[in-house]
Amino acid sequence: MDFFFNPKGIALIGATPNPQKGGHAILRNLRIGYKDKIFPVNPSYAEIEGMQCYPSVMEIPDPVDLAIIFVPAPLVSQIVQDCAGKKIPGVMIESGGFAETGDAGSGFQKELTAIAKETGIRIWGPNCMGLVDTVAGHVFSFVSPSIWDNGLKKGSVSMIVQSGMLSGVFIADLMTHGIMGVSKVCSIGNKVDVDECEILEYLLNDPKTNTIALYLESVSDGRRFYRICKHAEKPIVVLKGGKSAYGASAALSHTAGLCGNNAVISGALAQAGVIEAKDFMQWADIARSLSHYPNASSKNRARVAVVSYSGAAGIVSADFLSSFGLEIAELSSGTLYALKTVSPSWMPVSNPVDLWPAVERNGARKAYGTAIRALCADSGVDGILVHAFAGNFALNFDLSELAHTAEAADKPMICWLLGERQEAGIFQEKCHSQGILVFRELFRAVECMAAVLQKQQPLKLTEETPLPIESSPERLDQMLQKQQGVLDEYLSKQVLSTYGIPGVPEKLVFNETDVLPAVSEIGYPVVMKGIAKDIVHKSDKGLIRMGLHSEKDIFAAVSALSEIMNNENQPAAYLIQRQLETSVELIAGMVRDPQFGPCVMCGFGGIFAEILKDSVFAPAPLSRADALKLIGRLKSAELLEGYRGLPPVDRTDLAEILMRLGQLGTDYPRISEIDINPLMVYDQKLVAVDATIVLTKDQDRSS
Amino acid sequence: MDFFFNPKGIALIGATPNPQKGGHAILRNLRIGYKDKIFPVNPSYAEIEGMQCYPSVMEIPDPVDLAIIFVPAPLVSQIVQDCAGKKIPGVMIESGGFAETGDAGSGFQKELTAIAKETGIRIWGPNCMGLVDTVAGHVFSFVSPSIWDNGLKKGSVSMIVQSGMLSGVFIADLMTHGIMGVSKVCSIGNKVDVDECEILEYLLNDPKTNTIALYLESVSDGRRFYRICKHAEKPIVVLKGGKSAYGASAALSHTAGLCGNNAVISGALAQAGVIEAKDFMQWADIARSLSHYPNASSKNRARVAVVSYSGAAGIVSADFLSSFGLEIAELSSGTLYALKTVSPSWMPVSNPVDLWPAVERNGARKAYGTAIRALCADSGVDGILVHAFAGNFALNFDLSELAHTAEAADKPMICWLLGERQEAGIFQEKCHSQGILVFRELFRAVECMAAVLQKQQPLKLTEETPLPIESSPERLDQMLQKQQGVLDEYLSKQVLSTYGIPGVPEKLVFNETDVLPAVSEIGYPVVMKGIAKDIVHKSDKGLIRMGLHSEKDIFAAVSALSEIMNNENQPAAYLIQRQLETSVELIAGMVRDPQFGPCVMCGFGGIFAEILKDSVFAPAPLSRADALKLIGRLKSAELLEGYRGLPPVDRTDLAEILMRLGQLGTDYPRISEIDINPLMVYDQKLVAVDATIVLTKDQDRSS
């Protein structure tokens, strides 16, 4: 990939002297920052702004590493062919007019895919803004050259964005407002070849990048993306377009990508330890905060001290800290003592620290300095939120002294600023130059503090003893040879049991006379179900009879079930199951996602299903740590500990079932879907009470 | 109150020529904007900056309407006495050093309360920043005179703030950033006399105010505040400090107010149709948005069109609209046709409108103009969200034309702006001068659109036939004469039934021999409970036996219960109740809040209680409309329609029970608490299955 980022020699196809055109902007941007040779290509010109211009790439005498293409879509394929002929390793196609514009454009895009496959040339784009690398000074993009005017603001956040327009204007906004510097901005467009995964891997190895922010509307290879994120040693922040039903429909008409199933994608991101943002500025703010404190790491506790000049703002801060799961630090006696030395005696000293009376008495410099030094020395404080005001007001503390104190103590210090317009601007710039994070929205300041202090460690790759599984794809093939579509409950549980997932004690009989012996084997009370191949929703058809306590109950149930089965033209088959005591009902399952492959699901079922709407997803296979993390992601996970006298659910047991489900989904691609609903406690272990497996052959399951 | 806002003659006690002191800032502020006579008072000076200075208010020759006091707390009482002696109707005490500083200060504050009561002089403050009135040009405050430098920005939002510091700097921030104008800012401090209610009523009648924003840490008279808000014809936005447990503890040490029970306060605000904000900027943004569109009103549907130059931003906008309960407008065929005339043929046209291809083809002016005109004419569009970029980029549409079009169509149009720093600033100013709301955070833009389009109409005062209630406070007095503390279940339900709240069929017997006859009267299955005066949590003591189906069950229950009662030294009393079928279990209750008086609670109980944590409060008494609104505020109200085969709950029936609870709480102050838990459906009506009433005499109920 390095030829995209540090090419030796660039050809610009579509170079033009017309300053209204993108091809001119690219040329200007290249000439300002790119140090190696530039070869403008355009058959209409012999020279452009004093540079020799070539009629085609074939005529360029020197070697070229990268061709940037900005000509109308119908002309692009031939040019890429030429580039491949000239052994140029990579092209960056910034023109639009491809799959995003409908059928004709899709045709052009397919041609590009074919050329990449045939020739091995790597294609970035099309329909993108290319690359901006502030550190190298590379602007391989038609973004307005005015972004150079105040100098490109360098930083350590690199961005991968699937929105050309946004990448351009949003970056211009961030840079000119001095809000954040960036390292590389990679606009990947329709990604016919180079995709987010490859660039992500490149950036994870890039010494100039410590945090990666992605805006994605589709994920090309979910499994690979998940794997990369999961083991990434740099924080990753993702903003995904297309969450709601509406959002998704807009995404479909916007790019040529699919939005995927958002529960699956969000689940994969959360499982991989990726932070999911929801708004543009928030996305950038969280990324720059993480980048600012690359060494802050997740501790068990994240205890924050608030230093304010206003009781009111302290109160609201405390509310926000609680809502983000941060703790209000309990101050040590040493800290309290230090604060008392600057405060009037009537002032109760506690966290949040209202420093105003101390400021009135001692001036802001002494009051703030004393407070920050004490908090930095306090081992019970993990981060400091400072409220500042810039303007005609006695709050002119020494910012750089505070910054140094916090830095020396290795504690994140984040500043919330109010102030008069002029002075606030100056203060913000001073903060940036001193390396202090400053925000104008209090909520955002706390949110970013939370992102920094709650940062997760990447999952270490560990060897695990694989689960002992008796079965194999071959054995399943045998079992399911003649099956297609939806498997009945009994067979579904048989399949699960070959993978070590136990079912409720049950017996299937085909004859009314076999019912009573089966019942006495299972033991009262029992549930009896009529099993019919094509009826998935048995209870809708009246095919489930619960709470059978006696022979009388059994006879009544058999006669009712046989009548229904008769009416439905189904051969009689009776499933007799042990009726379980009440327990928490869970749902566990597997879905095969087009982007993320087999994914395991876990959630609450029964009466909780519709009310809690609490379910989580993660790509399979799952390690034990994965499975436990997945369970821990349930919002109401504490219900597993036992609830209103119900027996507790053993998390290790549940984890093992989820691992086995994942393994089954991974081993046997013919299964498109598994639902275990409910999964209940029986004899202290979880068992599948009902289950449905769907095979890929016939996917139009009527649920 | 008008002498505070438009006084004829002001005395400034604590005037000083020392520019470091607040007394000097107040004087300068008065001289800049106040048109009538100013009388500086300070025994140390004969004149200050050319104005005659008086040794005390007594020496002022002319009538004075308002005395502003800024001297140390110990001197204040005498000065207020002097003012009262001079028949000055109002004083505004801006000095600190009162209840917020501990015991000595509390003493000074009590003196003020006493003086106000004795003399009738009205006191604003102490410990406040006074009043800023941009329209009249009155700055009765020690806020820095630099706020005049760029002119006070006038607006129609008035603020009432209980935080001196914040009111000063926050307003300076808003004003100098040109973000919003305000009408009046009233900093009320420790409110020994004048409180938020009085000022709120004044502002509701103030023609220069169309929206009121309050920052409150305590509510002095909750019932009055609730009543005023409920019938207010101007929108009210409240930011309350002290929500979390932490927040509340900070509030206690900050002002002399109590935080109250936040579930009660938030409930009262929601019930009154007040918008509760959670952050400072958000509070101001919502208030200015509501102020901007005073005539927008709540419709059944709030359909929004999004006009963007970026598909990505359109997608994220759509997500936000959904999350705020706004609809993505479905565009009429006329609108679609108009959009197609400016878009390339390949571009699918839908909402969110991605206008970039149209901009490229026709220029921003034509593209945006066409789109906004079409959307304004589209009767299926209630509001328009416009994305703009300011900077070196072809997006220079005609802002004022768009503004006029939207204004003529009477549709809220809100702008989300990205842009290069300089240009963005210019654009923002242009927006403000054109009367367009502009935001830099997309989320906030959508949130404010929601506030505008979902604005509630004030509740009309309507006459209602009172509920027929058999009982009376006198009858209750008789029933409860000898009672104190916690009433037992049986007596609690007897009390409720006198107010028309039915209980489950039950019979109380004191003799084992009376049990069986009672059972046969009630009918199997029954529940039997041991009733003991001082045991509230019967199930913890094993005093509840459920599911009794036979004489055998009854005998076992009697013997178990009598043994437990014996051990607890309780006289035997058995309550035999009809055991009800499973239904949704509700909780209903009444609490007597120190600020809001009797408040009615409604929520989900049983297995849902801990999981849903869904309960709502409203001050009593409730009209039928109030009660139905309260029920509708339950997040999971739809469960009442019947859930997984359980019988539905009749909202009218529930509403009536809540009204009766409210009436009981209002009529009979001896009751401090009522819990009906559970409230269940029996024979299609709700009945109290268990209930506890607590009398005020003995409040240390052990729950």
Side-chain angles (χ1 to χ4, degrees):
Chain A
M1 297 288 294
D2 209 50
F3 47 80
F4 282 118
F5 292 90
N6 296 300
K8 286 175 191 62
I10 294 179
L12 171 58
I13 298 109
T16 161
N18 180 347
Q20 301 301 315
K21 300 277 182 179
H24 183 261
I26 303 175
L27 186 60
R28 275 204 56 198
N29 284 328
L30 287 175
R31 293 185 77 175
I32 297 173
Y34 178 64
K35 302 292 178 301
D36 213 321
K37 285 194 181 157
I38 304 165
F39 307 98
V41 176
N42 190 333
S44 308
Y45 303 96
E47 66 151 69
I48 296 174
E49 299 191 352
M51 301 180 76
Q52 186 183 348
C53 186
Y54 300 87
S56 86
V57 283
M58 309 304 280
E59 329 292 321
I60 299 172
D62 296 306
V64 169
D65 252 7
L66 177 65
I68 300 174
I69 301 175
F70 198 71
V71 300
L75 308 178
V76 170
S77 291
Q78 185 52 50
I79 290 167
V80 176
Q81 283 285 15
D82 292 350
C83 291
K86 201 182 148 57
K87 303 283 175 226
I88 298 176
V91 295
M92 194 175 267
I93 306 171
E94 304 193 3
S95 342
F98 292 87
E100 80 281 7
T101 65
D103 289 345
S106 291
F108 298 137
Q109 188 159 322
K110 274 182 199 143
E111 287 171 31
L112 295 178
T113 313
I115 297 169
K117 211 169 173 183
E118 273 162 34
T119 65
I121 194 168
R122 300 305 313 272
I123 302 178
W124 176 310
N127 185 32
C128 73
M129 298 269 293
L131 169 72
V132 174
D133 179 342
T134 63
V135 181
H138 293 169
V139 179
F140 303 163
S141 171
F142 57 91
V143 62
S144 162
S146 64
I147 70 161
W148 293 93
D149 294 352
N150 300 307
L152 295 180
K153 200 169 156 50
K154 291 173 192 166
S156 302
V157 175
S158 286
M159 293 176 160
I160 304 175
V161 288
Q162 199 185 346
S163 153
M165 211 46 58
L166 196 69
S167 65
V169 307
F170 188 61
I171 303 309
D173 182 304
L174 292 181
M175 291 221 168
T176 58
H177 279 78
I179 290 172
M180 74 184 281
V182 293
S183 178
K184 297 174 179 64
V185 181
C186 310
S187 166
I188 55 176
N190 294 6
K191 46 186 184 180
V192 295
D193 175 22
V194 171
D195 67 6
E196 62 277 5
C197 286
E198 268 182 294
I199 299 181
L200 181 55
E201 281 185 327
Y202 182 88
L203 295 173
L204 285 169
N205 289 311
D206 173 25
K208 305 290 187 198
T209 296
N210 73 5
T211 303
I212 299 154
L214 297 99
Y215 173 81
L216 293 176
E217 285 169 13
S218 66
V219 178
S220 305
D221 180 348
R223 290 183 78 72
R224 185 172 167 206
F225 185 71
Y226 172 68
R227 214 164 42 239
I228 299 169
C229 290
K230 191 171 163 188
H231 302 294
E233 292 188 353
K234 298 175 183 175
I236 298 172
V237 188
V238 169
L239 174 62
K240 238 198 109 301
K243 253 166 237 145
S244 66
Y246 289 121
S249 94
L252 283 172
S253 66
H254 175 55
T255 68
L258 279 165
C259 258
N261 179 334
N262 273 292
V264 167
I265 299 185
S266 290
L269 293 175
Q271 185 76 11
V274 169
I275 295 181
E276 197 176 345
K278 56 176 191 174
D279 201 356
F280 296 102
M281 289 291 174
Q282 178 216 22
W283 173 65
D285 285 339
I286 291 175
R288 71 187 170 101
S289 300
L290 289 165
S291 167
H292 199 83
Y293 292 106
N295 302 320
S297 72
S298 172
K299 293 167 189 160
N300 287 330
R301 307 177 66 178
R303 298 159 301 179
V304 177
V306 180
V307 180
S308 185
Y309 54 90
S310 148
I315 290 168
V316 175
S317 300
D319 286 343
F320 285 148
L321 291 172
S322 300
S323 74
F324 277 103
L326 297 167
E327 283 180 62
I328 311 285
E330 214 165 297
L331 305 182
S332 73
S333 55
T335 303
L336 293 175
Y337 179 81
L339 289 170
K340 277 180 188 152
T341 64
V342 290
S343 297
S345 59
W346 54 260
M347 183 69 193
V349 170
S350 65
N351 185 21
V353 182
D354 180 357
L355 218 51
W356 180 245
V359 168
E360 274 190 313
R361 184 158 296 208
N362 296 286
R365 186 175 178 144
K366 182 169 175 190
Y368 270 79
T370 304
I372 299 295
R373 275 192 302 276
L375 294 170
C376 284
D378 189 331
S379 62
V381 173
D382 301 311
I384 303 166
L385 182 65
V386 178
H387 296 175
F389 179 81
N392 204 319
F393 196 59
L395 262 173
N396 42 349
F397 50 76
D398 185 344
L399 196 66
S400 66
E401 191 196 323
L402 304 192
H404 289 144
T405 309
E407 203 188 339
D410 202 19
K411 293 192 183 179
M413 186 172 88
I414 291 181
C415 186
W416 173 58
L417 177 70
L418 289 179
E420 294 171 25
R421 184 173 195 148
Q422 195 93 29
E423 287 82 354
I426 295 166
F427 189 95
Q428 280 173 301
E429 272 162 30
K430 229 158 80 183
C431 280
H432 290 303
S433 69
Q434 299 282 349
I436 299 176
L437 288 171
V438 58
F439 297 92
R440 300 257 305 139
E441 296 261 356
L442 179 52
F443 183 81
R444 184 63 49 77
V446 177
E447 185 173 26
C448 288
M449 178 67 87
V452 168
L453 290 181
Q454 294 167 347
K455 195 172 76 181
Q456 297 185 20
Q457 291 295 345
L459 276 178
K460 292 267 173 288
L461 280 165
T462 49
E463 283 289 316
E464 268 198 51
T465 12
L467 285 174
I469 285 176
E470 286 174 43
S471 191
S472 65
E474 293 71 33
R475 183 163 159 209
L476 284 180
D477 259 338
Q478 254 176 337
M479 276 180 84
L480 302 176
Q481 214 173 3
K482 292 183 186 150
Q483 300 291 335
Q484 57 174 22
V486 183
L487 307 188
D488 70 41
E489 170 179 348
Y490 185 73
L491 182 54
S492 295
K493 278 184 279 190
Q494 291 289 309
V495 171
L496 292 175
S497 79
T498 68
Y499 263 71
I501 300 169
V504 64
E506 65 185 9
K507 214 166 156 53
L508 186 68
V509 300
F510 298 91
N511 239 308
E512 296 185 8
T513 52
D514 295 337
V515 168
L516 273 182
V519 169
S520 61
E521 202 176 304
I522 298 291
Y524 285 112
V526 297
V527 175
M528 200 187 310
K529 298 175 179 174
I531 295 296
K533 209 177 153 27
D534 297 323
I535 301 174
V536 179
H537 296 293
K538 292 184 284 287
S539 58
D540 295 353
K541 294 278 182 191
L543 287 174
I544 302 183
R545 303 282 148 157
M546 303 183 67
L548 311 181
H549 285 80
S550 63
E551 283 195 18
K552 196 181 128 206
D553 290 351
I554 299 290
F555 291 140
V558 168
S559 99
L561 291 181
S562 66
E563 194 182 325
I564 296 168
M565 309 271 270
N566 241 0
N567 288 342
E568 298 275 335
N569 284 322
Q570 294 281 342
Y574 305 96
L575 186 61
I576 291 109
Q577 300 179 329
R578 170 70 59 84
Q579 168 137 12
L580 302 188
E581 304 259 316
T582 317
S583 87
V584 170
E585 297 184 21
L586 298 170
I587 305 178
M590 191 281 302
V591 289
R592 197 170 297 281
D593 181 79
Q595 295 171 347
F596 287 87
C599 291
V600 173
M601 188 274 271
C602 175
F604 286 94
I607 53 161
F608 296 141
E610 292 144 65
I611 292 174
L612 291 179
K613 294 183 183 78
D614 191 2
S615 62
V616 286
F617 287 84
L622 303 178
S623 69
R624 196 172 300 275
D626 277 330
L628 289 169
K629 181 174 182 180
L630 182 66
I631 296 165
R633 283 173 44 214
L634 285 165
K635 286 191 294 285
S636 305
E638 81 275 9
L639 291 180
L640 299 175
E641 313 313 334
Y643 172 69
R644 289 177 77 96
L646 299 183
V649 172
D650 179 356
R651 289 193 192 206
T652 333
D653 187 26
L654 177 56
E656 201 172 308
I657 287 174
L658 299 175
M659 291 163 74
R660 289 176 186 278
L661 272 174
Q663 198 57 52
L664 177 52
T666 309
D667 288 352
Y668 202 68
R670 255 193 92 198
I671 297 179
S672 66
E673 238 177 278
I674 305 174
D675 265 322
I676 305 179
N677 181 11
L679 182 69
M680 289 173 74
V681 177
Y682 169 64
D683 209 7
Q684 300 182 338
K685 298 288 274 181
L686 287 165
V687 294
V689 176
D690 194 349
T692 307
I693 288 180
V694 184
L695 300 181
T696 38
K697 187 78 175 285
D698 168 20
Q699 290 204 6
D700 54 355
R701 188 183 157 201
S702 63
S703 66
Chain B
M1 296 287 294
D2 208 51
F3 48 80
F4 282 119
F5 292 90
N6 297 300
K8 286 177 191 60
I10 295 180
L12 171 59
I13 298 109
T16 162
N18 180 346
Q20 301 300 317
K21 301 277 184 180
H24 183 260
I26 302 175
L27 186 60
R28 273 206 56 201
N29 285 328
L30 288 175
R31 293 184 76 176
I32 297 174
Y34 178 64
K35 304 291 177 302
D36 212 322
K37 285 192 181 161
I38 304 165
F39 307 98
V41 176
N42 190 333
S44 309
Y45 302 96
E47 68 149 66
I48 296 175
E49 299 192 350
M51 300 180 77
Q52 184 184 349
C53 186
Y54 300 87
S56 86
V57 283
M58 308 305 279
E59 329 293 318
I60 298 173
D62 295 307
V64 169
D65 252 6
L66 176 66
I68 301 174
I69 301 176
F70 198 70
V71 301
L75 309 179
V76 170
S77 291
Q78 184 53 52
I79 290 168
V80 177
Q81 285 284 15
D82 291 351
C83 291
K86 202 181 147 58
K87 304 281 175 228
I88 297 177
V91 295
M92 193 175 271
I93 306 171
E94 304 194 3
S95 341
F98 292 88
E100 79 281 4
T101 66
D103 288 347
S106 289
F108 298 136
Q109 188 159 324
K110 275 182 199 141
E111 288 171 30
L112 294 179
T113 313
I115 297 169
K117 210 166 170 187
E118 275 163 32
T119 65
I121 194 168
R122 301 306 313 270
I123 301 179
W124 176 309
N127 185 34
C128 73
M129 298 268 293
L131 168 72
V132 174
D133 179 342
T134 62
V135 181
H138 294 168
V139 179
F140 302 163
S141 172
F142 57 91
V143 63
S144 161
S146 64
I147 69 161
W148 293 94
D149 293 353
N150 300 307
L152 295 179
K153 200 168 155 49
K154 292 173 192 165
S156 302
V157 176
S158 285
M159 294 176 158
I160 303 173
V161 290
Q162 198 185 346
S163 154
M165 211 46 59
L166 195 69
S167 65
V169 306
F170 187 63
I171 301 311
D173 182 305
L174 292 182
M175 291 220 169
T176 59
H177 279 78
I179 290 172
M180 73 184 281
V182 293
S183 178
K184 299 175 177 64
V185 181
C186 311
S187 167
I188 54 176
N190 295 6
K191 45 186 184 178
V192 295
D193 175 23
V194 172
D195 68 7
E196 62 277 6
C197 285
E198 266 181 297
I199 299 182
L200 182 55
E201 282 186 326
Y202 182 87
L203 294 174
L204 284 169
N205 288 312
D206 173 24
K208 305 291 186 197
T209 297
N210 72 6
T211 302
I212 300 154
L214 297 100
Y215 173 82
L216 293 176
E217 286 169 11
S218 65
V219 178
S220 305
D221 179 347
R223 292 184 76 73
R224 185 174 166 203
F225 186 70
Y226 172 69
R227 213 165 40 238
I228 297 170
C229 289
K230 193 170 161 188
H231 302 293
E233 292 189 355
K234 299 175 182 176
I236 298 172
V237 187
V238 169
L239 174 61
K240 240 200 107 295
K243 252 167 238 147
S244 67
Y246 288 121
S249 96
L252 284 171
S253 67
H254 175 56
T255 66
L258 280 164
C259 259
N261 178 337
N262 273 291
V264 167
I265 299 185
S266 290
L269 294 176
Q271 185 76 13
V274 169
I275 295 181
E276 198 176 347
K278 57 176 191 177
D279 201 355
F280 297 102
M281 289 291 174
Q282 179 217 22
W283 173 64
D285 284 339
I286 291 175
R288 71 184 168 104
S289 300
L290 288 166
S291 165
H292 200 83
Y293 291 107
N295 301 320
S297 73
S298 172
K299 293 168 190 161
N300 286 331
R301 309 177 67 178
R303 299 159 299 180
V304 177
V306 180
V307 180
S308 186
Y309 55 90
S310 150
I315 290 167
V316 175
S317 300
D319 286 343
F320 286 149
L321 290 173
S322 300
S323 74
F324 277 104
L326 297 168
E327 283 180 62
I328 312 284
E330 215 165 297
L331 306 183
S332 73
S333 55
T335 304
L336 294 174
Y337 178 80
L339 289 169
K340 278 180 188 152
T341 64
V342 289
S343 298
S345 59
W346 55 261
M347 184 69 193
V349 170
S350 64
N351 184 23
V353 182
D354 180 356
L355 218 49
W356 180 245
V359 169
E360 275 191 312
R361 185 157 292 209
N362 295 286
R365 184 174 179 147
K366 183 170 174 190
Y368 271 78
T370 305
I372 300 295
R373 275 192 302 276
L375 294 170
C376 283
D378 190 331
S379 63
V381 172
D382 301 312
I384 304 167
L385 182 64
V386 178
H387 296 176
F389 179 81
N392 203 318
F393 196 58
L395 263 173
N396 43 348
F397 50 75
D398 185 343
L399 196 67
S400 66
E401 190 196 323
L402 304 192
H404 289 145
T405 309
E407 203 188 337
D410 202 19
K411 293 192 182 180
M413 186 172 88
I414 291 181
C415 186
W416 174 59
L417 177 70
L418 289 179
E420 294 172 25
R421 184 173 193 146
Q422 195 94 30
E423 288 81 355
I426 295 167
F427 189 95
Q428 282 173 300
E429 272 163 30
K430 226 158 81 183
C431 280
H432 290 303
S433 69
Q434 299 282 350
I436 299 176
L437 289 170
V438 59
F439 298 92
R440 300 257 306 138
E441 298 261 358
L442 180 52
F443 183 80
R444 185 63 49 79
V446 176
E447 185 174 25
C448 288
M449 179 68 87
V452 168
L453 291 181
Q454 294 167 346
K455 196 172 78 182
Q456 295 185 21
Q457 291 295 346
L459 276 178
K460 292 268 174 291
L461 280 163
T462 50
E463 283 289 317
E464 269 198 50
T465 10
L467 285 173
I469 285 174
E470 286 175 41
S471 191
S472 64
E474 293 70 34
R475 184 164 156 207
L476 285 179
D477 259 337
Q478 252 175 341
M479 275 179 86
L480 302 175
Q481 211 173 4
K482 292 182 183 151
Q483 301 291 334
Q484 58 175 21
V486 183
L487 306 188
D488 70 41
E489 171 179 346
Y490 184 74
L491 182 54
S492 296
K493 280 184 279 189
Q494 292 287 310
V495 171
L496 292 176
S497 78
T498 67
Y499 263 71
I501 299 169
V504 64
E506 65 185 11
K507 213 165 153 58
L508 185 69
V509 300
F510 299 91
N511 239 308
E512 297 186 8
T513 52
D514 295 337
V515 168
L516 273 182
V519 169
S520 60
E521 201 175 306
I522 299 289
Y524 285 112
V526 298
V527 176
M528 202 187 308
K529 298 177 179 173
I531 295 297
K533 203 170 159 29
D534 297 323
I535 301 174
V536 178
H537 296 293
K538 291 181 287 284
S539 58
D540 295 353
K541 296 276 182 195
L543 286 175
I544 302 183
R545 304 282 146 160
M546 301 182 68
L548 311 181
H549 284 80
S550 62
E551 281 195 18
K552 199 180 126 204
D553 290 351
I554 299 289
F555 292 139
V558 168
S559 100
L561 292 181
S562 67
E563 195 183 326
I564 297 168
M565 310 271 269
N566 240 359
N567 289 341
E568 299 274 338
N569 283 322
Q570 294 283 341
Y574 306 97
L575 186 61
I576 291 109
Q577 298 179 332
R578 169 71 57 86
Q579 169 137 11
L580 302 189
E581 304 259 316
T582 317
S583 86
V584 170
E585 296 184 20
L586 298 169
I587 305 179
M590 192 282 302
V591 289
R592 197 170 299 281
D593 181 80
Q595 294 170 346
F596 287 87
C599 291
V600 174
M601 188 272 271
C602 175
F604 286 95
I607 52 162
F608 296 141
E610 291 146 62
I611 292 175
L612 290 180
K613 294 182 182 79
D614 191 4
S615 61
V616 286
F617 286 83
L622 303 179
S623 68
R624 195 172 301 272
D626 278 330
L628 290 169
K629 181 174 181 178
L630 182 67
I631 296 166
R633 282 173 44 213
L634 285 165
K635 287 192 292 288
S636 306
E638 80 276 10
L639 291 180
L640 299 175
E641 314 312 334
Y643 171 68
R644 289 177 77 95
L646 299 183
V649 172
D650 178 355
R651 290 194 190 204
T652 333
D653 186 25
L654 177 55
E656 198 171 311
I657 287 175
L658 299 175
M659 291 163 74
R660 288 176 186 278
L661 273 172
Q663 197 58 50
L664 176 53
T666 308
D667 287 351
Y668 201 68
R670 254 194 92 198
I671 297 180
S672 67
E673 239 178 279
I674 305 173
D675 265 321
I676 304 179
N677 181 12
L679 181 69
M680 289 173 75
V681 176
Y682 169 66
D683 209 9
Q684 301 182 339
K685 297 290 274 181
L686 288 165
V687 294
V689 176
D690 195 350
T692 307
I693 288 180
V694 185
L695 300 182
T696 39
K697 187 77 174 286
D698 166 19
Q699 290 204 5
D700 55 354
R701 188 186 158 200
S702 63
S703 68

